[in-house]
């Protein structure tokens, strides 16, 4: 099931240091400037309980957290976020911009932790009642470049390079499997050029939803 006709759901995905937050903010400003109601949120997080789960999954204190437990925690945070924030916002006509969503679980837990993409996706689909983005923006970055942009790595960021390479391959596979629902951009390009490409694609997607 996709978002209702009233609002829209845009996910921003990518590996570490891809610039999702910067681009999320620029997209929110662009859409608000054209008079749209925007909810800019992030995962894991977005509700008090989901922020509490975020503190667990990102804490270096829980190094070695069992991969299935990790996948369940991300899915639990997402179920709460989808029910309390994302779905209601779409239903009242907002454009929801979500920094990470189901694809992050598929890439980080499915590919990175080798839990399998199907099982991890199904878990999140169950958790969210099947809520999927209308469009996913994938900011693709070589992990050697992305990780170099970070300071104070959290538990996931501190994983070895091969883990982050598997995550990147997972994201690219998801985009290749369903190209009409993805915009994949090279995150090493100029920030303003990336922002323009995202704004153009999102504007087109919103216009075609409204026309149809
Ligand atoms: P965050 O600081 O939000 O990273 P970023 O700025 O790169 O988005 O931390 C989120 C971390 O959690 C990031 O390393 C990706 C990871 N993650 C998963 O492993 N699975 C998931 O389902 C989600 C949403 C995030």
């Amino acid at each position: 099931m996709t978002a209702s006709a009233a609002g829209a759901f845009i996910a921003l995905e990518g590996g570490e240091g891809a610039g999702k937050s910067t681009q999320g903010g620029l997209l929110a400003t662009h859409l608000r400037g054209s008079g749209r109601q925007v909810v800019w949120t992030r995962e894991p997080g977005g509700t008090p309980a989901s922020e509490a789960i975020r503190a667990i999954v990102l804490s270096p204190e829980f190094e070695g957290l069992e991969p299935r437990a990790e996948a369940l925690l991300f899915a639990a945070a997402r179920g709460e976020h989808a029910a309390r924030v994302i779905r209601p916002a779409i239903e009242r006509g907002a454009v929801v911009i979500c920094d990470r969503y189901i694809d992050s679980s598929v890439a980080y837990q499915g590919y990175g932790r080798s839990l399998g993409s199907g099982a991890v996706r199904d878990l999140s689909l169950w958790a969210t009642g099947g809520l999927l983005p209308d469009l996913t923006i994938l900011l693709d970055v070589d992990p050697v470049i992305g990780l170099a942009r970070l300071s104070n790595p959290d538990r996931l960021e501190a994983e070895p390079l091969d883990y982050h390479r598997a995550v990147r391959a997972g994201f690219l596979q998801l985009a290749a499997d369903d190209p009409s629902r993805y915009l994949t951009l090279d995150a090493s390009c100029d920030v303003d050029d990336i922002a323009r490409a995202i704004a153009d694609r999102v504007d087109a997607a919103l216009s075609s939803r409204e026309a149809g």
Side-chain angles (χ1 to χ4, degrees):
M1 183 184 120
T2 57
S4 78
F9 182 15
I10 315 287
L12 275 167
E13 297 280 10
E16 311 300 336
K20 289 180 288 81
S21 314
T22 303
Q23 292 300 334
L26 292 170
L27 178 59
T29 302
H30 167 75
L31 292 173
R32 284 183 185 125
S34 48
R36 303 219 177 240
Q37 196 191 146
V38 174
V39 172
W40 178 29
T41 184
R42 68 165 181 188
E43 293 204 347
T47 77
S50 302
E51 291 290 334
I53 295 172
R54 176 187 178 90
I56 296 172
V57 286
L58 298 189
S59 171
E61 193 187 336
F62 302 119
E63 196 199 328
L65 182 65
E66 207 283 318
R68 284 183 178 77
E70 180 181 287
L72 286 161
L73 286 166
F74 279 113
R78 178 165 302 123
E80 163 83 358
H81 188 215
R84 295 196 190 281
V85 176
I86 303 175
R87 208 183 275 278
I90 296 167
E91 282 167 5
R92 56 171 197 269
V95 180
V96 176
I97 303 169
C98 192
D99 189 329
R100 298 193 180 282
Y101 191 62
I102 292 181
D103 288 1
S104 279
S105 282
V106 174
Y108 282 80
Q109 282 67 57
Y111 283 80
R113 300 281 189 227
S114 304
L115 291 178
S117 55
V120 170
R121 179 181 153 91
D122 286 350
L123 182 65
S124 272
L125 288 176
W126 179 79
T128 61
L131 182 68
L132 285 172
D134 298 295
L135 175 69
T136 297
I137 315 288
L138 172 58
L139 296 178
D140 177 52
V141 65
D142 182 330
V144 173
I145 297 170
L147 291 168
R149 291 176 176 168
L150 304 178
S151 52
N152 288 332
D154 62 37
R155 193 176 61 81
L156 277 302
E157 290 163 354
E159 289 291 333
L161 193 53
D162 278 354
Y163 173 86
H164 291 285
R165 290 198 166 117
V167 169
R168 182 190 194 192
F171 278 128
L172 289 171
Q173 187 62 55
L174 286 166
D177 287 347
D178 198 1
S180 65
R181 290 167 73 114
Y182 284 81
L183 172 65
T184 304
L185 296 167
D186 177 350
S188 63
C189 292
D190 177 74
V191 171
D192 294 331
D193 291 344
I194 295 173
R196 204 166 306 115
I198 293 174
D200 287 350
R201 178 60 185 271
V202 170
D203 285 348
L206 294 176
S207 305
S208 79
R209 277 169 73 75
E210 279 154 10

